[in-house]
Amino acid sequence: MLLQFSVFPGRERDWSLVQVSLTDITARKKAEAYLEYLGKHDVLTKLHNRALYTDELNRLQRKSVRPVSIIVIDMNGLKLANDQLGHAAGDALLRRMGEVLNEAVSQPHHAARIGGDEFAIIMPGSDHADVAAMIDNVRKLLEINNQYYSDAPISIAVGSATSAPDEALEAVVRRADLLMYRDKQAHYEDIKATALSG
């Protein structure tokens, strides 16, 4: 509720005549909350968006929380799904990936969609063992999800890195990105080798 009041002219000394109004601003507050949500989240996947991801990296860079681990995930074959089955099918795959990451990642960690089919998990205060456990959990949840959608399985490429002392987080992201691209390349080389041998 918004409370407003005004004293009638000439009654300022004793406030003997005051007009009070109460306005229900529930709808406005809901709209403000939704706009705030949109500013930090990707609507399709319900994950954080690139803006929040960048803000969180900048915040952690200024803080003394170390180590910080970054996991970068890219979906294999999304462009092919979009081209062959349409963007609705591609969007369904992205939504499913969001479901998996929303289930796997909780505070103080953050999962974000940072590009079309690219995702990142920021893990402050986490080391290599924590990263390995997170990646294993994501893969297990994805395997369960794929069992429900066996006609459209999701495949991912993953790279991760953990900050060294005094290492800039940008460098950590670059290392994780590079390892993800190597994993993606290995995936497509396996597909090619299988096709040639079959």
Side-chain angles (χ1 to χ4, degrees):
M1 299 296 282
L2 177 65
L3 171 67
Q4 293 176 306
F5 73 92
S6 58
V7 180
F8 275 74
R11 307 296 177 103
E12 292 88 354
R13 277 182 97 174
D14 62 1
W15 287 28
S16 60
L17 194 55
V18 178
Q19 180 180 15
V20 178
S21 71
L22 291 172
T23 308
D24 183 353
I25 58 170
T26 304
R28 186 173 90 188
K29 286 294 183 187
K30 284 182 179 177
E32 288 172 0
Y34 185 62
L35 287 174
E36 185 178 343
Y37 176 87
L38 289 178
K40 297 177 181 177
H41 291 83
D42 174 62
V43 178
L44 184 64
T45 62
K46 309 284 191 281
L47 296 168
H48 292 297
N49 62 16
R50 187 174 189 94
L52 186 126
Y53 165 78
T54 303
D55 287 349
E56 184 64 9
L57 283 179
N58 291 335
R59 186 186 73 79
L60 289 171
Q61 183 63 48
R62 291 188 307 268
K63 297 278 184 183
S64 59
V65 177
R66 292 295 184 272
V68 174
S69 294
I70 310 286
I71 301 171
V72 178
I73 300 170
D74 196 88
M75 294 174 66
N76 296 320
L78 183 65
K79 183 181 181 329
L80 186 65
N82 280 332
D83 292 346
Q84 290 183 348
L85 305 171
H87 286 280
D91 286 353
L93 293 173
L94 288 166
R95 267 192 295 277
R96 286 174 49 208
M97 192 69 215
E99 290 169 9
V100 167
L101 292 178
N102 272 313
E103 180 68 27
V105 181
S106 58
Q107 292 284 351
H109 310 313
H110 295 281
R113 181 181 177 201
I114 58 172
D117 60 354
E118 194 168 357
F119 303 85
I121 303 171
I122 303 173
M123 300 177 65
S126 299
D127 59 16
H128 297 287
D130 298 323
V131 169
M134 177 66 78
I135 292 172
D136 187 51
N137 191 31
V138 168
R139 289 195 184 280
K140 283 178 181 171
L141 289 168
L142 189 58
E143 188 179 321
I144 292 166
N145 188 283
N146 282 337
Q147 289 172 8
Y148 285 101
Y149 300 94
S150 56
D151 57 330
I154 294 173
S155 167
I156 58 173
V158 180
S160 64
T162 299
S163 63
D166 300 322
E167 182 181 17
L169 293 184
E170 277 182 26
V172 179
V173 171
R174 280 195 299 273
R175 286 194 293 122
D177 226 19
L178 180 64
L179 291 170
M180 181 275 293
Y181 281 114
R182 285 185 188 163
D183 192 33
K184 188 176 240 349
Q185 185 178 8
H187 168 77
Y188 286 113
E189 285 173 1
D190 285 349
I191 289 175
K192 190 176 178 181
T194 303
L196 291 174
S197 66

